[in-house]
Amino acid sequence: MKRILLLTLTTLLTLSIEASTTLALKGAVIKPTDKNIQYVGRICFDNPERPRFTFPGTQINVCFTGSSIRLWAKPKSGYFMAQVDAAEPFKVALMGERDSVVTLATALPQGRHTLRLMYVIEGYELKPDFRGFILDEGASLLAPPTLPERTIEFIGNSITCGYGNESIVCSDPFEYETENHYFTYAQMTTRNLNARAHVVARSGIGVYRSYGGPKEGTPENVMTTEYEYTNLYDRSERWDFSRYQPQLVCINLGTNDLSTNNYDETLLKTAYQRFLNQVRSHNPKAKIVMLCGSMLNGKELDIAKRIQNDVVDEARRQGDKQVYRFDFTPQHGDLGYGASWHPSLEQHKKMAVELTAYLKSLMKW
C-alpha cells in the first residue's frame, strides 16, 4: 500500500508511506531506549527494544534534526496520526503483512523539527510494538517537546475509542480503517484544554457486563478487570499507577451494560460503586467525573443517569467530595452517524464542546 500526502510548512513537503522489512534501514537508527523519546500512555517496556501498547491515544513524540524521519514498527501495527511541526496531522497505516517502515516526512528544511505521533485504534488484536525512528545520516534527536502540565485520564468504551467515527454509513461494521481516536471527544477536549491524557478504553466493554453478555455479567471481560493492566487482554504486567497520577479522571461507561435489553440494574449499580472506589484508590487526589452519553436514549438513558447520580451521591455522603456528574446531549442523527450507529465526527465535535466548557469551569482551567 502506498499513499502520498502533502503538507504545507514554509515549503511543500512530500510525505509517503513506504515499506518494507526487505529493505535495508539506511540512515541513523534511533532505538526506543533513546532518552529523548517521549512516551505518553500505558506502554509495556518488558522488552525495552520493542515497547508494546494497545490502548488508543498512546503517544510517541520527538524533536529531531535533519530533513526526514521514518517510523519503524511491527508489521500490521495499525493506524497512527502524525503531526510534523505545525502542519496538519495526517493518518499513517502500518497494515501490510511485512510493511514495517513508514516515511513520515522528507524534504524538510534543515533545522529543528517536532514529530507528535499518536496510536488511534484499539490494538488488542494487532498487538503493535514500536522499534524506533530512522533519521538522516548524521542527524539526531534533541530534547523532547514540553508536555502540558494539565493531566487527564479517560476511561471508556467504543465512544471514547472512536469506533466508526470516520464512516458515514450507520450500517457499516467495525473496521480499523474507520476508527480514529484522534478525532474523538476525548482527544479534542484534551487539546482544547491544553492538557495531556492517558486513555483506557475498549469497544464493547462495560462495568459489570460487556456488550451482548449474560444478564449476570462478564467479570473477566469488564473494565474493573482491564483497568489494572498495562495492555488489553494481556495479564503479563500490572499497570504501575505511580507512573501517571492525573488531576482529572473522566469515566464514560454503562452503554454496553445496558445493551440488548438483558441487564440487571442492581448489579450495574453495585459494580459502578466498586469501580469508582477502585479508580479512587489508584488516583487519590484526582477529581473524578462520571459521564453519560451520547448513544443511550429512552429508558436506558434514564436508568444510566439515575444509577450514576446514586453512585455519586453515595460517594459524597461517604466523604468523597471530588466526584462529579456530566451528561452529553444524546445523539439524534441530525449530525449523522458513524459505523454501527456510533457518534459521527460532528457528534464528537459537539461532545467536545460540551465537555470542554464543563471541565474548564470544574478545573478552573
Side-chain angles (χ1 to χ4, degrees), residues 150 192-193 354-365:
R150 298 168 180 172
N192 290 345
L193 295 172
E354 294 175 347
L355 186 57
T356 298
Y358 174 76
L359 295 181
K360 276 185 176 180
S361 175
L362 176 68
M363 302 299 293
K364 303 299 187 287
W365 287 349

Side-chain angles (χ1 to χ4, degrees), residues 129-355:
D129 67 42
F130 168 61
R131 302 180 181 182
F133 292 111
I134 304 166
L135 306 178
D136 296 344
E137 288 288 358
S140 62
L141 295 186
L142 304 173
T146 302
L147 285 171
E149 294 183 0
R150 298 168 180 172
T151 53
I152 308 174
E153 179 176 73
F154 285 95
I155 304 170
N157 51 35
S158 57
I159 300 171
T160 302
C161 290
Y163 181 122
N165 62 349
E166 290 193 333
S167 172
I168 58 172
V169 181
C170 60
S171 60
D172 279 350
F174 173 81
E175 295 179 303
Y176 285 121
E177 291 85 344
T178 62
E179 181 174 73
N180 194 332
H181 177 72
Y182 187 89
F183 293 117
T184 60
Y185 79 90
Q187 289 299 335
M188 286 189 276
T189 298
T190 299
R191 292 192 291 275
N192 290 345
L193 295 172
N194 187 29
R196 56 181 152 129
H198 277 210
V199 179
V200 184
R202 179 179 72 78
S203 292
I205 204 164
V207 186
Y208 100 96
R209 169 183 174 266
S210 290
Y211 183 81
K215 190 172 184 177
E216 59 269 23
T218 54
E220 291 303 311
N221 183 26
V222 286
M223 187 56 78
T224 50
T225 301
E226 297 296 341
Y227 188 63
E228 298 297 315
Y229 295 95
T230 303
N231 286 322
L232 280 166
Y233 297 139
D234 180 352
R235 308 293 160 82
S236 64
E237 179 182 273
R238 284 189 172 271
W239 174 245
D240 178 0
F241 287 89
S242 69
R243 289 169 59 181
Y244 187 75
Q245 283 287 295
Q247 298 160 309
L248 169 68
V249 178
C250 293
I251 306 172
N252 190 356
L253 294 169
T255 301
N256 292 301
D257 299 89
L258 295 169
S259 65
T260 62
N261 196 30
N262 189 35
Y263 49 83
D264 185 304
E265 295 179 38
T266 301
L267 290 177
L268 174 56
K269 180 177 177 179
T270 300
Y272 230 139
Q273 289 174 319
R274 186 168 60 251
F275 185 56
L276 179 60
N277 290 333
Q278 180 182 353
V279 172
R280 170 58 73 208
S281 70
H282 291 307
N283 304 278
K285 297 181 179 180
K287 293 183 185 294
I288 300 175
V289 182
M290 296 175 66
L291 310 177
C292 188
S294 61
M295 290 183 69
L296 291 172
N297 56 68
K299 181 180 74 170
E300 281 71 30
L301 178 59
D302 292 339
I303 292 170
K305 287 182 176 181
R306 173 168 48 79
I307 287 176
Q308 289 194 10
N309 287 337
D310 288 349
V311 169
V312 168
D313 289 345
E314 178 63 24
R316 286 178 163 268
R317 283 195 296 270
Q318 293 182 3
D320 190 344
K321 306 298 185 182
Q322 300 299 309
V323 183
Y324 307 87
R325 279 272 293 110
F326 178 80
D327 295 319
F328 290 110
T329 301
Q331 62 185 27
H332 298 294
D334 55 314
L335 298 177
Y337 292 106
S340 306
W341 304 94
H342 281 74
S344 65
L345 289 176
E346 291 303 315
Q347 192 74 45
H348 275 284
K349 290 179 184 177
K350 181 177 181 178
M351 294 170 70
V353 169
E354 294 175 347
L355 186 57

Side-chain angles (χ1 to χ4, degrees), residues 1-28:
M1 171 180 172
K2 294 189 177 181
R3 182 180 301 165
I4 304 298
L5 303 113
L6 298 179
L7 297 179
T8 302
L9 298 170
T10 54
T11 61
L12 195 64
L13 308 180
T14 301
L15 304 169
S16 65
I17 294 177
E18 69 172 12
S20 66
T21 55
T22 60
L23 296 178
L25 298 179
K26 297 180 179 179

Side-chain angles (χ1 to χ4, degrees), residues 48-85:
E49 298 288 338
R50 293 190 176 184
R52 300 182 291 115
F53 47 91
T54 52
F55 288 115
T58 302
Q59 296 180 52
I60 307 171
N61 305 320
V62 291
C63 292
F64 63 98
T65 63
S67 64
S68 70
I69 186 167
R70 289 183 286 166
L71 166 66
W72 183 18
K74 175 187 171 184
K76 296 198 73 173
S77 279
Y79 291 88
F80 298 80
M81 287 291 286
Q83 183 178 28
V84 180
D85 296 333

